[in-house]
Amino acid sequence: MVASSVLGFPRIGANREIKKVVESYWAGKTNADEVTKVAAEVKKSNWTELKQRGVTYIPSGDFSLYDHVLDHSAAFNAIPKRYHGLGLSPLDTYFAMARGRQADGVDVPAGEMKKWFDSNYHFLVPELDQSVEFKLNFNKPLEEFNEAKALGITTRPVVLGPITYLALAKASKEAKPEFEPISLLSKILPVYKQLLSELKSAGAEWVQIDEPILVTDKGANYEAQYASAYPELVAVAPKLLLTTFYGRLESNVNFIAKLPIAGLHIDLDRAHEQLDKTIAAISSTPIVLSLGVVSGRSVWKTDFAVAIKYAEKAISALGQDRVIIGTASTVLHIPVTLASENKLTEQQKDWFSFALEKASEVATIAAVVSGSQDAAVAAALEANRTSIAKRRDFEKNSDDSVRKRVASITADQYERKSPFATRLAAQKVLNLPKFPTTTIGSFPQTKEIRQARAKLGKGEISEAEYEEFIKKEIESAVRFQEKIGLDLLVHGEPERNDMVQYFGERLSGFVFTQNAWVQSYGSRYVRPPIIVSDVSRKAPMTVRWSEYAQSLTSKPMKGMLTGPVTILNWSFPRVDISRELQAQQLALALRDEVCDLEAAGIKAIQVDEPALREGLPLRRADWDSYLNWAGNTFKLSTAGVGDHTQTHSHFCYSDFDDIFPQIQRLDADVISIEASKSDMKLLSTFKHYGYSNSIGPGVYDVHSPRVPGDAEIQERLKSMLAFLDQSLLYVNPDCGLKTRGWKETEASLVNLVQAARWARETY
Ligand code: MET
């Protein structure tokens, strides 16, 4: 019999229960017991659903109230010093690490968040140094294993592997200069051994140990560490399934195959070409091969015929008992269930498969390749064949005008008319002071805004009433910015439910869901639109709002758009045409919008590309091709304007070392970047390469409600000026403020303006 497995499941609850309960806990409206109770219900429902769908290996230990990497740090006592001795409960210490804490005399910033591999999920970067005392504060996989067992469900606990954990960590401020987190391997192993042996004693047959670092270029550096650590772990652990996902192992498979592990999981959705090589590498070992044939990243139905072909190849080489049919990665990245969607047409519903449906898919494929004679399995197979055929048929329709326009893009459309220096002079029309202050676009999305949108959705208020409401919001955002003295204003984005969804809803080619939320970080979930056909702009999307906002003030107003690469990366893309072609279609639509904004008198236009980097392939060999088309599509969308129009772009990450030349190549007049939590390494990169255009490194963190003092911001500006030309420096927060409350937003921005005034007087 071929077994089936799901590597990890969304932990947000089918109705966003976890968001609701943790946010209410943070607001002091509920207690820790209630949080535990709701978490238990969500876990129970996940396990029960997977069991009912016939999945053999059901994950446990993958649940999280905020982030699974942070859970691991908390469990292993990797708690940075600044969170010690604050008199907080373990849960509050955990949330302080996640989001900072500023209350009752405690004032600590949050840890650094980074994107998890090439996804839009963010994890809390472990901060380590030589003095860390690893110990097992609690055994989360064991607790959840027992919790499921009490419900009569046997699970396969999930543990983040030691080498990936250390490889993802950063050196803390207290670390010695040459300190590398991986040097802690021998120190962390005893804790892993304790955790794994406790699982074994509790009766776990298998443990899934996640080592996705192996699909990155970095993975190859750790051959010696894998070779020394895994035999030690295997000696005390249940059977270990070493899981790799999101990419290809390449030559790492050779040293992995030599480890005494019981199973290896590979991602065939992202890298089906690695199947033959993997089979060859393990065929003379007893290793079980877990085939990731059902995507954990895409919402499209799996083509069973393709999955079966891979499975049969593996079975004929290894035998049924050595093959598992799995999701390619955790299905954390896709929404919980299609069953919650009642506005999709039957045709659309038939194209997709969300997390629970993917669970049924692995179970069905496993049954088919096990030779099941069950009528329900045969019917599911036949239904899949029909659905896939219908979709292929639909894909034959393309929008000729869009395809032709893409085919006739010319080289000059990628470039601005004049070089930066000429544009800088022309942009004096904006009348900005030295150290211009600005924000990244959004202001708090208050309860009132969300309610108004919900009422519009339910038909409780009219389109006209909603418009009036939004106009008032814009007006108050403008007045607020004038009052506190910001220089380059924004309209505040109150009309946007989400920076991608808003555009998707106004473009042809997208479909939307009601309830298809996906965790981005902590309690922040997004509802990515799905690209289903060729994309084009039906009508201007933002112009009237920007025009209206500009009409209220004599200060310059920044138009605000989401860039093509970000719309693509934060949507669920089509899988039948390339991402490049989808991005080009988006770029042409945005180019028209940018030109329309200019024509409407908007002098500065920001095209955000916060997701440019996360789309970077995990293997360096694939970078050039991606960066080339991704950069080109940004240029295509922005280069249609005159010299006097100032283009901006925003990036929510600070890892610029490797992609720097591409950022320069984008040739935006001003870029703003997330910088408050990274050290000055980022800025030294810009200095080192001699970045020539204007730049606003974020001066404070927006992911936390903490208010930065003006002295703190002055200090940041001071250190930035050691790296950057003062005539090119903009002053802004790290990112948009939509998730913040007004109180902290006002306090923080007042301090920011204060600090910029200080800089003007001082420099
Ligand atoms: N303009 C957007 C905002 O301010 C940019 C966000 S980047 C994640 O919210």
Side-chain angles (χ1 to χ4, degrees):
M1 273 293 280
V2 178
S4 60
S5 86
V6 169
L7 265 52
F9 202 76
R11 57 270 186 128
I12 63 179
N15 295 304
R16 291 183 290 159
E17 289 85 348
I18 298 302
K19 176 189 182 72
K20 289 170 197 159
V21 77
V22 296
E23 288 185 351
S24 127
Y25 178 76
W26 296 336
K29 291 185 195 140
T30 195
N31 58 29
D33 289 343
E34 183 63 17
V35 176
T36 311
K37 194 180 122 223
V38 174
E41 285 160 6
V42 168
K43 284 181 270 187
K44 179 178 173 184
S45 147
N46 292 348
W47 292 323
T48 318
E49 291 275 4
L50 294 188
K51 185 165 180 179
Q52 278 167 3
R53 285 172 155 76
V55 175
T56 323
Y57 297 116
I58 297 170
S60 63
D62 60 322
F63 178 80
S64 182
L65 288 174
Y66 202 96
D67 163 45
H68 59 277
V69 183
L70 180 64
D71 291 328
H72 197 87
S73 297
F76 277 51
N77 201 41
I79 301 174
K81 294 219 169 54
R82 63 179 177 281
Y83 305 104
H84 294 192
L86 301 178
L88 301 176
S89 70
L91 184 63
D92 288 341
T93 304
Y94 172 83
F95 285 137
M97 288 165 76
R99 50 197 298 273
R101 188 176 176 103
Q102 198 171 38
D104 310 324
V106 171
D107 185 358
V108 277
E112 185 186 357
M113 261 193 320
K114 269 198 179 159
K115 304 250 172 173
W116 175 249
F117 294 85
D118 60 349
S119 78
N120 181 28
Y121 176 78
H122 303 63
F123 73 101
L124 264 295
V125 181
E127 270 173 60
L128 303 172
D129 59 57
Q130 56 291 335
S131 69
V132 60
E133 294 293 342
F134 292 121
K135 64 174 183 187
L136 202 56
N137 285 334
F138 52 94
N139 189 336
K140 194 174 70 125
L142 177 68
E143 286 168 14
E144 291 188 17
F145 176 77
N146 286 334
E147 204 175 328
K149 200 159 122 188
L151 299 166
I153 299 172
T154 308
T155 55
R156 183 176 72 190
V158 182
V159 180
L160 179 57
I163 297 169
T164 295
Y165 177 72
L166 294 175
L168 294 176
K170 67 170 186 182
S172 80
K173 289 215 172 66
E174 289 84 32
K176 293 196 182 125
E178 297 305 307
F179 172 80
E180 295 272 357
I182 193 70
S183 66
L184 298 171
L185 184 59
S186 57
K187 226 172 152 182
I188 205 170
L189 280 183
V191 186
Y192 270 95
K193 283 163 64 181
Q194 182 190 345
L195 177 144
L196 292 167
S197 61
E198 286 178 9
L199 280 168
K200 191 173 185 176
S201 312
E205 186 202 354
W206 281 93
V207 166
Q208 170 185 325
I209 191 153
D210 288 343
E211 289 283 11
I213 201 73
L214 284 163
V215 306
T216 67
D217 290 334
K218 236 176 152 184
N221 304 337
Y222 301 123
E223 176 171 354
Q225 283 83 358
Y226 278 100
S228 70
Y230 273 77
E232 272 195 56
L233 300 180
V234 164
V236 298
K239 288 198 264 182
L240 287 186
L241 174 75
L242 187 147
T243 43
T244 66
F245 35 85
Y246 307 140
R248 53 188 194 265
L249 278 168
E250 292 188 357
S251 60
N252 297 341
V253 73
N254 300 325
F255 68 78
I256 293 303
K258 292 195 192 113
L259 302 178
I261 49 175
L264 170 65
H265 175 87
I266 54 170
D267 185 332
L268 295 180
D269 171 51
R270 282 291 181 82
H272 64 88
E273 68 279 14
Q274 62 180 340
L275 179 59
D276 291 345
K277 219 169 151 192
T278 311
I279 294 177
I282 63 158
S283 62
S284 59
T285 73
I287 295 176
V288 168
L289 185 58
S290 168
L291 304 175
V293 289
V294 169
S295 177
R297 303 287 293 269
S298 135
V299 290
W300 296 91
K301 241 176 207 172
T302 306
D303 183 345
F304 286 4
V306 174
I308 290 168
K309 191 179 77 196
Y310 298 144
E312 283 175 345
K313 188 180 244 183
I315 292 168
S316 76
L318 307 169
Q320 282 200 357
D321 295 340
R322 277 183 65 194
V323 174
I324 301 174
I325 298 299
T327 55
S329 63
T330 168
V331 290
L332 167 75
H333 310 290
I334 51 182
V336 177
T337 176
L338 207 45
S340 312
E341 301 306 322
N342 40 35
K343 293 214 175 140
L344 293 176
T345 63
E346 284 309 309
Q347 181 193 36
Q348 291 163 348
K349 268 196 163 180
D350 191 41
W351 293 335
F352 309 130
S353 158
F354 296 171
L356 278 178
E357 293 76 37
K358 301 268 182 196
S360 300
E361 291 187 346
V362 289
T364 305
I365 298 166
V368 171
V369 298
S370 299
S372 162
Q373 297 301 316
D374 189 307
V377 170
L381 182 61
E382 187 47 39
N384 179 269
R385 209 174 281 144
T386 314
S387 302
I388 299 290
K390 279 196 202 150
R391 171 66 203 175
R392 296 280 176 273
D393 211 40
F394 177 87
E395 284 160 4
K396 290 191 192 121
N397 308 315
S398 68
D399 182 337
D400 278 348
S401 60
V402 176
R403 299 279 176 121
K404 281 197 189 119
R405 201 174 164 205
V406 168
S408 55
I409 296 169
T410 52
D412 61 306
Q413 287 180 293
Y414 293 115
E415 305 303 332
R416 295 286 296 271
K417 295 177 184 62
S418 310
F420 175 68
T422 312
R423 298 184 330 243
L424 188 63
Q427 289 161 18
K428 294 236 158 61
V429 293
L430 271 88
N431 222 350
L432 293 170
K434 211 162 131 188
F435 301 111
T437 53
T438 189
T439 60
I440 309 305
S442 58
F443 280 127
Q445 282 267 331
T446 57
K447 201 160 88 211
E448 292 70 31
I449 297 181
R450 287 196 307 266
Q451 274 169 356
R453 196 173 300 128
K455 280 190 187 156
L456 174 71
K458 289 189 208 132
E460 288 168 22
I461 55 172
S462 68
E463 210 44 79
E465 283 168 311
Y466 179 71
E467 298 250 331
E468 268 322 295
F469 172 84
I470 294 294
K471 278 186 162 173
K472 287 219 174 71
E473 287 292 323
I474 291 176
E475 179 167 11
S476 81
V478 170
R479 298 294 167 242
F480 164 76
Q481 295 170 86
E482 287 179 324
K483 180 184 88 187
I484 66 166
L486 284 157
D487 304 307
L488 178 55
L489 309 196
V490 296
H491 77 286
E493 306 178 24
E495 79 288 9
R496 302 191 189 172
N497 37 13
D498 172 88
M499 63 184 288
V500 169
Q501 189 182 342
Y502 180 80
F503 290 94
E505 281 170 355
R506 279 150 191 83
L507 292 163
S508 306
F510 285 78
V511 303
F512 292 88
T513 57
Q514 252 54 60
N515 210 17
W517 298 96
V518 176
Q519 188 180 23
S520 170
Y521 67 88
S523 68
R524 175 119 187 95
Y525 309 161
V526 293
R527 201 164 35 158
I530 309 175
I531 307 180
V532 298
S533 51
D534 290 336
V535 172
S536 61
R537 191 181 75 143
K538 294 179 261 194
M541 304 180 282
T542 63
V543 178
R544 68 199 163 110
W545 299 124
S546 291
E547 214 175 359
Y548 173 68
Q550 183 65 84
S551 77
L552 298 170
T553 179
S554 56
K555 292 209 171 171
M557 178 62 54
K558 237 187 328 183
M560 197 58 64
L561 304 173
T562 304
V565 187
T566 297
I567 297 187
L568 178 73
N569 282 340
W570 287 354
S571 299
F572 288 112
R574 297 167 70 168
V575 287
D576 60 308
I577 61 168
S578 70
R579 288 162 69 220
E580 174 176 4
L581 178 53
Q582 294 174 73
Q584 286 170 326
Q585 296 181 353
L586 284 160
L588 288 171
L590 288 161
R591 184 181 175 96
D592 294 344
E593 185 74 10
V594 167
C595 293
D596 285 352
L597 281 167
E598 180 183 57
I602 303 300
K603 297 191 179 70
I605 302 166
Q606 180 171 314
V607 177
D608 294 320
E609 284 293 19
L612 182 81
R613 191 182 206 294
E614 95 190 21
L616 199 60
L618 293 168
R619 293 286 185 178
R620 207 172 258 271
D622 306 332
W623 282 14
D624 282 355
S625 135
Y626 167 77
L627 286 170
N628 192 37
W629 67 252
N632 279 347
T633 57
F634 174 86
K635 288 164 74 88
L636 182 62
S637 54
T638 50
V641 292
D643 290 349
H644 56 283
T645 299
Q646 188 178 58
T647 59
H648 288 237
S649 189
H650 171 68
F651 308 100
C652 295
Y653 40 83
S654 52
D655 290 337
F656 278 97
D657 296 30
D658 334 305
I659 59 164
F660 186 84
Q662 291 295 328
I663 298 300
Q664 176 79 66
R665 193 173 78 92
L666 298 181
D667 200 23
D669 292 310
V670 186
I671 60 170
S672 58
I673 51 183
E674 173 170 331
S676 76
K677 272 187 294 176
S678 58
D679 40 33
M680 291 296 146
K681 198 173 126 245
L682 161 71
L683 299 179
S684 63
T685 305
F686 279 81
K687 185 181 164 100
H688 174 79
Y689 288 102
Y691 185 72
S692 56
N693 301 12
S694 297
I695 175 168
V699 294
Y700 77 87
D701 175 21
V702 304
H703 294 107
S704 148
R706 183 177 172 275
V707 175
D710 67 343
E712 186 179 322
I713 302 179
Q714 280 179 22
E715 277 312 306
R716 280 194 195 287
L717 291 177
K718 231 189 253 173
S719 34
M720 285 171 186
L721 286 166
F723 295 92
L724 301 171
D725 182 329
Q726 48 167 287
S727 67
L728 299 177
L729 187 64
Y730 276 62
V731 183
N732 48 257
D734 260 355
C735 192
L737 299 159
K738 62 179 163 238
T739 59
R740 297 274 58 92
W742 268 110
K743 204 166 142 234
E744 72 249 20
T745 296
E746 168 152 19
S748 304
L749 290 177
V750 162
N751 290 346
L752 178 148
V753 168
Q754 216 30 59
R757 287 193 180 132
W758 163 86
R760 274 170 217 148
E761 279 155 23
T762 315
Y763 293 92

